[in-house]
């Protein structure tokens, strides 16, 4: 049995109070309109407004994170490598470890990762570091030019992190509002068989981050009671501070990322959700892209998700069989990497949100050439990816697709039967008892006293039968 994605949704995949009918649009493309109190289709114009509400590419998580990483690295070089005073982040020579400015150094180092994975935490971090820099520049009149340039680079990084994070959070709110407006006021329970991801989503990152933070806290406490400096006037915990810096940056990033993923899953499963009929197209790299619908060829891929086997349930309920899979009613199977298929999306549409997608799949019994159509459900978080690499697509002809699938099934069956015939022919042509004679000539003479027969007398004499 092989599962195939069905091009259009049958009525059975819609929520209980959704009613649908098939119609033909003016351009000759077969489509379906949903009326009554059911699920709304996502219009291409509404989807285009949703796409334009996203942040520009320069403020995207990956691009913005790399920009911040470059700025933070440049600040490190200027403050610690080129500054002659080396007093950028500590009180001065002979004073030992500086604890007062240490939190600012941690927040600055974590800013690129927080911007990419936890933007809500990057906003207060940028404000704190920028305030500390302003106070330092106001008090320090003897800072050398490299250190002053380093402070200015830190201010630039804080401005980028603060502006970009606020921009991203605002874009999320706008996109959610646009998706909710397109879905209307109706809310639907999640379909039967939906994988409950709130029982595991984000837990691994959450507990890993918590463990790293606890280890960092233990090392930091040890550093507070470290040994004295060479001048014996202060404690030296520079080594502990460096280790804790790495642990806290990684730990807080994992912790925040896991917490946000868990909260998104909890919001999805904790209440009824809005629903939209969308199109989904699979990429060669395993990512699936949501678009406005499965009919409009100009509809651009909007946002991606990666379906996992643990978060996908197939054959949740039977939708039809036999004549229901006829090629003329839109219920033919397709290749999802070549064209999109139709699905019902439950949840809000924005970066970091989690959604449920229900679609139709068919399996065919090859010996009888009968088909059965089932509902399948996938739960997945939405990714902030931008590059999809998907080209234009053409709708497959249902009759031609069915003939091609039947031809492939016949060829697969013929190859299997031919392999079976060859294996049976080899078994029939094998010499009878050849392996038995081979084993008897060795094992019988060695272990069975009377098994060697009359031929043994010429070689082993009277000693053969007596042992």
């Amino acid at each position: 049995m092989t599962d195939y994605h069905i091009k259009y949704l049958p009525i059975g995949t819609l929520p209980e109070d959704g009613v649908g009918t098939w119609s033909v649009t003016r351009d000759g493309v077969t489509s379906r309109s949903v009326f009554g109190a059911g699920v709304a289709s996502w219009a291409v114009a509404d989807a285009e407004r949703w796409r334009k509400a996203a942040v520009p590419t320069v403020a995207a998580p990956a691009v913005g994170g790399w920009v911040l990483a470059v700025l933070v690295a440049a600040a490190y070089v200027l403050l610690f490598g080129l500054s002659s005073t080396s007093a950028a982040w500590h009180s001065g020579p002979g004073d030992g470890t500086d604890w007062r400015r240490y939190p600012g150094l941690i927040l600055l180092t974590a800013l690129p990762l927080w911007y990419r994975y936890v933007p809500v935490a990057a906003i207060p971090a940028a404000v704190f570091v920028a305030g500390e820099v302003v106070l330092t520049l106001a008090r320090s009149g003897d800072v050398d030019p490299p250190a002053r340039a380093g402070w200015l680079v830190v201010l630039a990084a804080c401005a980028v992190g603060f502006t970009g994070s606020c921009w991203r959070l605002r874009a999320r709110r706008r996109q959610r509002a646009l998706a909710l407006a397109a879905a209307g006021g109706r809310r639907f329970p999640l379909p039967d068989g939906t994988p409950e991801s709130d029982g595991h989503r984000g837990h691994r990152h959450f507990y890993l981050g918590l463990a790293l933070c606890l280890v960092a806290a233990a090392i930091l406490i040890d550093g507070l009671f470290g040994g004295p400096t060479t001048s014996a006037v202060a404690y030296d915990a520079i080594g502990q501070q460096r280790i804790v810096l790495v642990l806290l940056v990684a730990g807080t990033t994992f912790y925040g990322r896991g917490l946000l993923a868990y909260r998104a899953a909890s919001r999805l499963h904790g209440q009824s959700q809005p629903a939209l009929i969308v199109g989904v197209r699979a990429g060669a790299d395993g990512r699936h892209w949501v678009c406005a619908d499965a009919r409009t060829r100009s509809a651009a891929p909007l946002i991606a998700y990666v379906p996992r086997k643990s978060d996908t349930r197939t054959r949740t309920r039977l939708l039809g069989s036999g004549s229901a899979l006829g090629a003329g009613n839109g219920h033919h199977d397709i290749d999802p990497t070549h064209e999109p298929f139709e699905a019902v999306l439950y949840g809000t549409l924005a970066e970091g949100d989690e959604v449920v997608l229900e679609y139709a799949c068919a399996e065919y019994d090859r010996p009888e050439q009968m088909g059965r159509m089932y509902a399948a459900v996938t739960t997945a978080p939405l990714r902030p990816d931008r590059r999809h690499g998907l080209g234009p697509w053409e709708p497959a002809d249902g009759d031609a697709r069915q003939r091609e699938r039947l031809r492939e099934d016949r060829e697969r069956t013929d190859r299997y039967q031919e392999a079976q015939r060859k294996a049976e022919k080899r078994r029939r042509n094998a010499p009878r008892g050849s392996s038995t004679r081979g084993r008897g000539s060795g094992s019988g003479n060695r272990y069975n006293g009377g098994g060697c027969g009359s031929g043994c007398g010429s070689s082993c004499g009277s000693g053969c039968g007596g042992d």
Side-chain angles (χ1 to χ4, degrees):
M1 296 292 184
T2 302
D3 290 329
Y4 298 88
H5 287 80
I6 297 299
K7 175 66 176 179
Y8 294 117
L9 286 168
I11 301 302
T13 54
L14 296 177
E16 294 179 357
D17 53 357
V19 181
T21 181
W22 290 98
S23 61
V24 179
T25 58
R26 287 180 298 178
D27 57 359
V29 178
T30 302
S31 63
R32 186 182 59 184
S33 60
V34 177
F35 54 88
V39 182
S41 298
W42 201 10
V44 177
D46 294 337
E48 185 64 19
R49 282 192 291 269
W50 183 95
R51 186 186 65 83
K52 292 181 179 180
V55 295
T57 304
V58 69
V63 177
W66 280 111
V67 170
L68 284 173
V70 171
L71 291 175
V72 171
Y76 263 88
V77 172
L78 291 170
L79 293 174
F80 299 109
L82 301 180
S83 177
S84 59
T85 60
S86 297
W89 285 99
H90 45 82
S91 301
D95 291 339
T97 303
D98 181 14
W99 293 103
R100 185 176 63 84
R101 297 179 183 174
Y102 185 59
L105 180 61
I106 295 175
L107 296 178
L108 175 65
T109 308
L111 194 58
L113 289 175
W114 287 6
Y115 179 86
R116 181 165 184 172
Y117 298 109
V118 198
V120 67
I123 295 175
V127 172
F128 181 89
V129 174
E132 190 176 61
V133 170
V134 171
L135 293 176
T136 302
L137 287 176
R139 289 196 303 261
S140 301
D142 56 347
V143 177
D144 59 357
R148 188 174 296 276
W151 289 121
L152 295 177
V153 173
V154 171
L155 285 177
C158 293
V160 171
F162 179 83
T163 305
S165 297
C166 292
W167 203 349
R168 286 176 58 194
L169 295 179
R170 180 174 178 270
R172 289 183 184 183
R173 289 193 297 269
R174 291 181 59 194
Q175 288 183 322
R176 289 192 187 105
L178 289 172
L180 290 175
R186 293 288 302 170
R187 298 295 181 266
F188 304 89
L190 298 182
D192 295 335
T194 298
E196 297 182 359
S197 58
D198 54 345
H200 65 87
R201 187 81 71 207
H203 288 191
R204 182 175 57 182
H205 291 94
F206 177 87
Y207 289 115
L208 175 59
L210 185 61
L212 292 176
C213 291
L214 291 176
V215 173
I219 298 175
L220 199 60
I221 292 173
D222 177 73
L224 291 173
F225 302 96
T229 61
T230 56
S231 60
V233 297
Y235 288 103
D236 183 11
I238 298 298
Q240 289 92 332
Q241 282 188 339
R242 291 172 178 171
I243 297 174
V244 169
L245 174 67
V246 176
L247 292 177
L248 282 181
V249 169
T252 54
T253 302
F254 280 120
Y255 179 89
R257 186 180 181 185
L259 182 61
L260 292 179
Y262 170 73
R263 291 183 61 185
S266 299
R267 288 194 304 269
L268 176 68
H269 295 277
Q271 55 189 346
S272 298
Q273 297 293 331
L276 280 171
I277 297 178
V278 300
V280 178
R281 187 176 176 188
D285 55 359
R287 293 179 299 173
H288 285 50
W289 291 85
V290 177
C291 49
D293 56 48
R295 303 178 300 274
T296 307
R297 281 173 283 178
S298 60
L302 301 174
I303 195 166
Y305 69 93
V306 177
R308 296 182 179 180
K309 291 184 178 180
S310 59
D311 292 329
T312 300
R313 299 287 185 272
T314 57
R315 302 177 182 91
T316 58
R317 66 181 186 275
L318 181 66
L319 301 176
S321 61
S323 60
L325 299 181
N329 58 6
H331 295 161
H332 59 276
D333 60 86
I334 63 166
D335 184 352
T337 60
H338 291 166
E339 62 176 300
F341 59 91
E342 206 169 43
V344 179
L345 186 145
Y346 297 84
T348 54
L349 268 167
E351 166 199 337
D353 290 345
E354 188 160 326
V355 297
V356 169
L357 293 109
E358 188 178 29
Y359 48 95
C361 287
E363 65 174 14
Y364 298 97
D365 191 345
R366 290 172 186 143
E368 301 178 6
Q369 297 300 338
M370 293 293 292
R372 287 175 294 276
M373 187 158 45
Y374 294 93
V377 184
T378 295
T379 304
L382 298 176
R383 299 163 57 94
D385 300 341
R386 299 296 183 96
R387 297 178 178 270
H388 52 81
L390 300 176
W393 60 273
E394 294 289 337
D397 180 75
D399 293 329
R401 171 70 181 174
Q402 188 177 28
R403 290 193 298 269
E404 179 67 16
R405 175 177 47 77
L406 294 176
R407 183 187 63 80
E408 292 176 356
D409 290 343
R410 286 194 298 269
E411 292 179 354
R412 191 180 297 109
T413 302
D414 293 342
R415 288 194 298 267
Y416 175 78
Q417 293 175 351
E418 181 65 22
Q420 292 293 100
R421 286 194 295 268
K422 290 182 179 179
E424 182 65 24
K425 184 177 180 180
R426 285 194 298 268
R427 284 194 296 269
R428 288 198 305 265
N429 294 337
R432 296 183 178 180
S434 58
S435 59
T436 304
R437 290 197 303 268
R439 289 192 299 268
S441 62
S443 61
N445 292 341
R446 184 173 297 176
Y447 301 110
N448 300 326
C452 59
S454 58
C456 184
S458 61
S459 59
C460 56
S462 60
C464 178
D467 292 341

